[in-house]
Amino acid sequence: MTGALRFVLGDQLSHAVASLRDLDPARDRVLMAEVLGEATYVRHHPKKIAFVFSAMRHFAAELAANGVTVIYVRLDDPGNTGSLSGELARAVAADPPERVVVTEPGEWRLWDAMRGWEAELGVPVEVRDDDRFFTTPRSFRAWAEGRKSVRMASFYQQMRKRTGFLMDAAGAPEGGKYSFDPDNREPIPGEVASPPRHTVEPDAVTREVLDLVAARFGHHFGTLDGFDFAVTAGDAEAALEHFIQHALPGFGTYQDAMRHGDPLLFHSRLAVYMNAGLLDPRHVCRRAQAAWESGHAPLNAVEGFIRQILGWREFVRGIYWWRMPAYAETNALDAHRRLPEFYWTGETDMVCLRDAIGQTQREAYAHHIQRLMVMGNFALLAGVEPALVNEWYLVVYADAYEWVELPNVQGMTLFADGGFLATKPYAASGKYIDRMSDYCRHCRYDPKKQLTDDACPFNALYWHFIDRNQARLRGNPRMAFPVKTLDRMGPDKVAALREHAERFLNALTYAEPGAW
Ligand code: FAD
Ligand code: DLZ
Ligand code: SF4
């Protein structure tokens, strides 16, 4: 019998991950496995699969170069059982270890499976906390339980105090306030150029993976062309430095802006690396704070960026582990529509959706406001079934893991949790998209019109949404204005808007669930 078998999953690619701590290279082995089940439990974007497999292979090679014995199972290895549980069982049976050591996973379905491993395998299984985060699910729960309301803003304040990020010597927030969000809502003027993009040329390992993924998963939504993700911690670090150097100074001001044909603007594209373990969020926040301290980036940018990671990222993870598994079943607005086919094809005359979905097909990436206020807003207004929307988001983005995807979709975007995570639905008409982007200038629809054939569909859909949910929204002070506006419209106008929206929705083609 050998020492410990340390199982490292595809989003745990950090040398400091808990399961690798106290590793004894003389006795222990590390197991990593590419498995069909993880690539297809939803049919992930090929770029996501290629990123994960290539990053796994590079990580395994780094461990081996450090003298660690790695059992690395490739997707096409004979005998590959196709599941993580199956590969662990196979490795245990082949050479029984004293114990198995693993870090808790990022998805409930796998955590649920892990709970059965010890009994199934007949060896002790130690599941360690994932301390690559600032909080544990336990500490979040202890903070949240018993509070009258669980809000990101108060969570973030206590995280700032606890970690000391952007706090002055007297214990007050730098700049006199915790959030500079109101400064961070500017549209981007045409003359402001976006920063250069950080790209990594695929090496031989990545090229081999790209061929494998093209052959096995080329039929999934999205394209592999132009794959330029970092797949090692070293290259992810270079991506971070590139972002700090070129984009962070403008991150705040243009955080909510969108521009036709411009996928990144001042965003970092670092979630894909942090979520897989190639970058440590503490280090990312420290680098951002140092950029402010040196005068390279303004406070509204650095605070805005740190808030996304120290605040939102931790908050949604806390909500996920606290409320699962029931959270995934919530549907407070009773939404049951299927997903329009254009989410999978990008074929629609609505330019904002066509651009953001087309970019998603090409990049496996869209920035937050595209996710929330374009694709998400449409799904909310149209009343699409939350489970179908969740599946789409989990499929299409390279940074998608359920711990972060589900609360953002279920809570922030669809209000399916009834206001547990967000104080109000992020519902918006075409006016918002027109203000924050240049999309409407390229569109055959007019964001200022409501009922004509060329009227922006978001407008009638918005009032259809307020109208059909008015009983639920009336008690919400943050929705008082639209509800009052609806009351003042008069029944004829409301009926005309309802009819216009329904005609539009009825004319759409809808995807068969499971067809993509
Ligand atoms: P930047 O704009 O550069 O932001 C910096 C970092 O802040 C991100 O890398 C991310 O780690 C963090 N962050 C920002 N906003 C959030 C947020 N709301 N929740 C958690 N972390 C945040 N993020 C994911 O990592 N995976 C997902 O599957 C995912 N699905 C989403 C689905 C919807 C409907 C919405 C509205 C948001 C989703 N987000 C998700 C959050 C956010 O949109 C992405 O983290 C961000 O767009 C990633 O791009 P970036 O790295 O360029 O982020
Ligand atoms: C996303 C992903 C994919 C596509 N493939 C694998 C894999 O073959 N092997 C693996 O260990 N992990 C993979 N992952 C990441 C897992 O899906 C992730 O660990 C779980 O979703 C938990 O967060
Ligand atoms: Fe989108 Fe409406 Fe603007 Fe067209 S007019 S881009 S559909 S918001």
Side-chain angles (χ1 to χ4, degrees), residues 324-350:
M324 279 299 278
Y327 201 72
E329 306 302 323
T330 54
N331 190 357
L333 299 184
D334 212 15
H336 296 290
R337 189 175 295 278
R338 286 187 188 177
L339 196 67
E341 182 91 354
F342 66 68
Y343 275 79
W344 298 111
T345 63
E347 287 165 17
T348 166
D349 284 352
M350 289 177 282

Side-chain angles (χ1 to χ4, degrees), residues 350-352 430 433 439-440 443 445-447 456-458:
M350 289 177 282
V351 163
C352 51
I433 295 174
Y439 283 139
C440 305
C443 191
Y445 294 115
D446 184 339
C456 170
F458 276 101

Side-chain angles (χ1 to χ4, degrees), residues 382-403:
V384 181
E385 174 101 34
L388 299 174
V389 185
N390 274 299
E391 186 197 24
W392 186 81
Y393 278 96
L394 202 51
V395 164
V396 303
Y397 293 116
D399 53 37
Y401 299 90
E402 203 184 61
W403 66 266

Side-chain angles (χ1 to χ4, degrees), residues 124-206:
V125 176
E126 186 189 343
V127 182
R128 294 185 175 172
D129 286 352
D130 190 347
D131 52 17
R132 297 173 301 165
F133 292 87
F134 290 96
T135 43
T136 61
R138 269 190 315 284
S139 65
F140 183 89
R141 195 184 185 124
W143 171 82
E145 267 178 353
R147 295 180 74 85
K148 253 208 233 120
S149 75
V150 176
R151 293 289 166 229
M152 203 293 288
S154 39
F155 171 77
Y156 171 58
Q157 285 194 16
Q158 63 107 22
M159 291 301 286
R160 287 272 298 275
K161 288 180 198 149
R162 214 191 82 195
T163 59
F165 278 113
L166 298 178
M167 301 299 283
D168 69 17
E174 296 288 2
K177 52 186 179 178
Y178 282 98
S179 172
F180 288 79
D181 200 29
D183 299 352
N184 292 357
R185 293 174 192 157
E186 293 296 314
I188 188 162
E191 65 277 13
V192 174
S194 293
R197 176 185 176 118
H198 180 265
T199 63
V200 176
E201 187 67 25
D203 64 6
V205 173
T206 300

Side-chain angles (χ1 to χ4, degrees), residues 7-12 32-36 38-41 44 48-49 52-53 56 75 84 105-107 109-110 400-403:
F7 196 9
V8 175
L9 308 185
D11 56 353
Q12 300 180 341
M32 297 177 70
E34 296 168 10
V35 294
L36 190 65
E38 291 306 303
T40 57
Y41 72 94
H44 293 294
K48 176 181 182 182
I49 303 173
V52 172
F53 285 6
M56 285 175 70
L75 188 77
L84 293 173
E107 301 197 344
R109 66 183 172 90
L110 214 49
Y401 299 90
E402 203 184 61
W403 66 266

Side-chain angles (χ1 to χ4, degrees), residues 80-101:
N80 187 329
T81 55
S83 76
L84 293 173
S85 301
E87 285 316 287
L88 179 60
R90 211 156 65 96
V92 167
D95 188 357
E98 283 162 9
R99 62 192 172 122
V100 169
V101 182

